[in-house]
Amino acid sequence: SSDVCSSDLSQDPKVFTMLHASQAKWIAGYPDQALALAVEKDDLALLLKHPLVYQQALGWGNVVYLYRGEADVLLSKSQEAHQLAEEQHIPFYIGGNLVWWGACLAQKGEHQSGVDKMQKGLAILEQTGARIGRPMMLALVAASKGKIDQPEQGLADIELALAQVEKWGERFYLAEIYRTQGDLLRQVERFEDAESAYQTSLEIAREQGARSWELRTIISLCDLFEVLDRGREIHDDLATLLDWFQEGQGTQDLNRAEALLSKHAAPKTA
C-alpha cells in the first residue's frame, strides 16, 4: 500500500518506484510513457500529503522534463521544491533543487546564471556527503561551461564525473557524460578525441539499451561530421534510430534529429 511511508527514509514505495521508472522509460526511448508516469507520480505524492515525499517527487522526480526539453515545467517544480526544502531545513533537497533549477536556466539559454546556481547546489550537497546523481550534475555543469566559453573547465568537471562513476558505479548517465566530453572536445577543436568520446558514448548507450542517449550522441556526431565535411556519414544510423521511435514527437531531441535528417537527405532525382 502507498499510504505508509518509511519513517526512516520518508519515502513512499510507489512514488519512489514511479520516480525511477519515469526516468528509465525516457532513457529507454519512451518519452511519452515517461511523462505519463511523472504526472501520475506527482498526483499520488500530492494526495499522500507527506511533505518529504512530495518534495522528492517535485525535484529529482521530475528531471524527465529536463530530458524532454521542457525546462519551464521543471523550473516551476524545482522552485516550489526549493521553497519547501528551505522551510523544512533539509540541505540535501536544498542543494539538489538548486542544481535542477540551474539546469533549467541553462536549457533556457541563461548559461551563466545556470552554472552559478548549479555550483551553489553542488557545494551544499558536498557538505551533506551526498553522492547520488553527482556525476550527472557535474556533466550538466560542464555542458553549460562550454556555452560560456569555459570548455577546459568543463572538461575538468567531466574528468571528475568519470572518476566518480568509476569509484561509485553510478552508470545511468555515463553515455551522456562521454557525449558531453565529446561536445567540449569538439569546441576546442580536438576532433579525433571528440569522435572517440562519442564512439564510447554510443557503445555504452547501445549496451544499456538507452535509445534516447544513443539518439543524442548520434546528433552530436552529426554536428562533428558537419565540421569535418563528413555530413552524410552517419545519416543511415540516424534514420534507422528515428524510425525506431514510436512516440515523443515534438520533443526537443526528436525535433533536432528530424531536422538533421532532412538536411542531409539525398536529393531526389528527376
Side-chain angles (χ1 to χ4, degrees):
S1 171
S2 284
D3 58 356
V4 178
C5 298
S6 164
S7 59
D8 294 325
L9 299 178
S10 298
Q11 291 174 349
D12 174 79
K14 187 170 183 180
V15 170
F16 188 73
T17 300
M18 292 171 74
L19 179 160
H20 289 285
S22 173
Q23 294 199 41
K25 280 287 188 183
W26 189 91
I27 292 169
Y30 302 98
D32 294 343
Q33 293 179 51
L35 177 61
L37 277 168
V39 171
E40 185 181 355
K41 172 259 307 162
D42 279 358
D43 290 344
L44 176 59
L46 186 60
L47 183 65
L48 290 171
K49 297 184 169 120
H50 189 292
L52 292 182
V53 170
Y54 187 54
Q55 165 75 245
Q56 185 181 55
L58 273 179
W60 171 247
N62 279 311
V63 174
V64 67
Y65 289 103
L66 190 71
Y67 297 158
R68 287 172 55 92
E70 297 164 357
D72 284 332
V73 180
L74 180 57
L75 180 60
S76 174
K77 291 177 181 292
S78 62
Q79 288 172 336
E80 181 183 354
H82 179 70
Q83 182 178 345
L84 288 171
E86 291 276 13
E87 292 170 359
Q88 296 160 5
H89 307 291
I90 307 174
F92 175 74
Y93 287 131
I94 292 171
N97 289 321
L98 283 172
V99 172
W100 309 134
W101 186 342
C104 290
L105 292 176
Q107 191 174 95
K108 288 163 61 67
E110 301 174 41
H111 300 292
Q112 184 63 65
S113 296
V115 167
D116 292 344
K117 194 79 72 177
M118 285 188 281
Q119 288 186 320
K120 181 178 179 182
L122 279 167
I124 294 171
L125 287 170
E126 180 75 22
Q127 293 173 356
T128 71
R131 301 183 309 205
I132 187 169
R134 192 169 184 83
M136 172 187 179
M137 294 173 180
L138 284 166
L140 290 170
V141 172
S144 293
K145 284 183 177 177
K147 300 295 186 183
I148 56 173
D149 297 322
Q150 296 177 3
E152 296 292 352
Q153 292 184 32
L155 285 167
D157 287 331
I158 290 295
E159 289 301 323
L160 181 56
L162 289 171
Q164 293 180 356
V165 169
E166 180 68 22
K167 183 176 181 180
W168 300 328
E170 185 180 281
R171 292 173 50 86
F172 84 96
Y173 206 74
L174 185 57
E176 271 291 271
I177 294 173
Y178 276 109
R179 185 189 68 82
T180 302
Q181 183 183 55
D183 287 350
L184 293 166
L185 289 167
R186 173 164 53 88
Q187 187 175 347
V188 297
E189 300 185 357
R190 291 170 55 185
F191 297 132
E192 288 186 11
D193 291 338
E195 184 171 356
S196 177
Y198 290 145
Q199 293 297 343
T200 300
S201 174
L202 268 185
E203 289 170 11
I204 293 166
R206 288 168 175 168
E207 174 190 317
Q208 295 178 340
R211 301 279 189 169
S212 290
W213 295 154
E214 182 182 354
L215 181 64
R216 284 190 175 184
T217 301
I218 289 177
I219 289 170
S220 285
L221 268 169
C222 285
D223 290 337
L224 174 65
F225 289 167
E226 184 78 15
V227 173
L228 301 178
D229 197 25
R230 294 161 56 187
R232 283 188 50 81
E233 193 164 315
I234 203 166
H235 179 275
D236 289 346
D237 285 350
L238 180 60
T240 299
L241 187 55
L242 254 184
D243 189 57
W244 179 90
F245 277 86
Q246 298 299 309
E247 62 180 67
Q249 281 67 35
T251 54
Q252 179 176 266
D253 293 341
L254 287 174
N255 284 346
R256 180 81 200 288
E258 288 166 359
L260 282 169
L261 199 62
S262 296
K263 180 177 180 181
H264 295 294
K268 294 182 180 179
T269 57

